Amino acid sequence: MKLSERYIRQVLERLPQDKRQEAEKDLRSKLSERLTADSSESEERAVLQEFGHPALMAEHYGKVRRYLIGPRYFDLYVRLLRLVIPLAVLITLIVVTIVGIISGVGQDETLVSVLVSLIGNIIGAIFNTIMQTLFWVTLVVAVMDWADKSGVETPLGLTMEEWTPDDLKEWGGQEALLEPVEAKVAKSQVFGSLIWMVIWTTVYFNADKVLGIYTDDGEGLRFQMAVFNQDVLVSYWPFIALVIVLELSLAIWQWRAGYWNYRLATFNAAVQTVSVLVFILIFTNSQLLNPEFRQFLTETFGGTNALTWIFSAILVMMIFGTLSDVIQGYRRAGKRRQPVETPPH
């Protein structure tokens, strides 16, 4: 990819969606006046150096000067937040999961109370993490801005060096920014999948304490017996660990990509397929049910056929849900416009 093409895309990523198309057209027009298809890289560098930092060019098209911290450090500030906050939230979710597994839950707690408490802990932890990260990053960058007496307004990059066109060679931004909304990866979907992963992981490792039969003795619900044989259930932990790693990898890839593409859609299909196969492997084990619970079903309903039908229904819903998710991934990837690779002329 030519430096001029990278320059255009770095400018566009800093603009609101409704201003990108007009800015791209104008910027390409200006570049075509100065460069041709036969222009050398040194000629490109000279023109782009004259045009200046992409952030300054974006401010020109955006008609808004950003002075939250200062023009020299604002671009650095925004990029740090985009880099640090998702990483901090991911680490928080992993810690919450580990704490939930290690600490366990009380024997007298119901599944509903466990889920409510867990979701509350997740939301509280994420909120606290975001606020702490926002505070400390803002404080550090604000102090740096205050201490800088150079008077220079040219924005700094993550390397704290002055910008040059050579920086465009290292840029790994979106391949295309003027994408339809359908092609975009919803951040809420990414966070939702991570939160769901924390919930089912915690419940899986504490199933013998929350998934079972409860009775009301007048003083509230009491846990009587577990549905599953916990030893058998936890014996599949290597497969569960594999699913967790795959789902974390998928979430990270979705967050970094920003937009669906066929490689991401294929990886998503693989993750969903592995998850369903692990579910089938676990729930087709004849020893999975707790013997005491199996006896309870036999005495109450005359057998375990009802539970078999329930598991089968859940499996069918999972398969249809997986197929829908996989198809949606490929459909959204197909909405991507073809990135422009030709140099200005």
Side-chain angles (χ1 to χ4, degrees), residues 252-278:
I252 294 172
W253 191 348
Q254 287 177 324
W255 186 277
R256 289 180 61 83
Y259 292 89
W260 284 92
N261 55 60
Y262 285 113
R263 290 179 60 193
L264 176 58
T266 301
F267 184 67
N268 174 62
V271 173
Q272 302 305 326
T273 301
V274 170
S275 299
V276 171
L277 291 177
V278 169

Side-chain angles (χ1 to χ4, degrees), residues 174-188:
Q174 301 297 340
E175 280 299 312
L177 292 164
L178 300 178
E179 299 287 359
V181 176
E182 294 88 347
K184 190 173 185 179
V185 175
K187 296 298 188 291
S188 58

Side-chain angles (χ1 to χ4, degrees), residues 271-303:
V271 173
Q272 302 305 326
T273 301
V274 170
S275 299
V276 171
L277 291 177
V278 169
F279 176 87
I280 294 175
L281 177 65
I282 294 175
F283 284 89
T284 53
N285 188 324
S286 60
Q287 303 300 317
L288 181 63
L289 290 182
N290 178 16
E292 185 180 359
F293 178 69
R294 187 186 295 273
Q295 181 65 29
F296 169 80
L297 290 178
T298 302
E299 294 175 355
T300 306
F301 302 104

Side-chain angles (χ1 to χ4, degrees), residues 125-181:
I126 290 177
F127 178 79
N128 183 63
T129 297
I130 292 176
M131 295 306 295
Q132 289 284 345
T133 304
L134 183 62
F135 171 79
W136 287 110
V137 172
T138 302
L139 178 63
V140 170
V141 177
V143 170
M144 292 168 57
D145 189 23
W146 173 80
D148 189 344
K149 306 300 182 182
S150 64
V152 179
E153 291 192 353
T154 303
L156 292 169
L158 289 175
T159 61
M160 298 297 294
E161 300 290 339
E162 297 293 342
W163 182 86
T164 69
D166 289 332
D167 293 334
L168 298 172
K169 296 180 179 180
E170 306 300 327
W171 181 65
Q174 301 297 340
E175 280 299 312
L177 292 164
L178 300 178
E179 299 287 359
V181 176

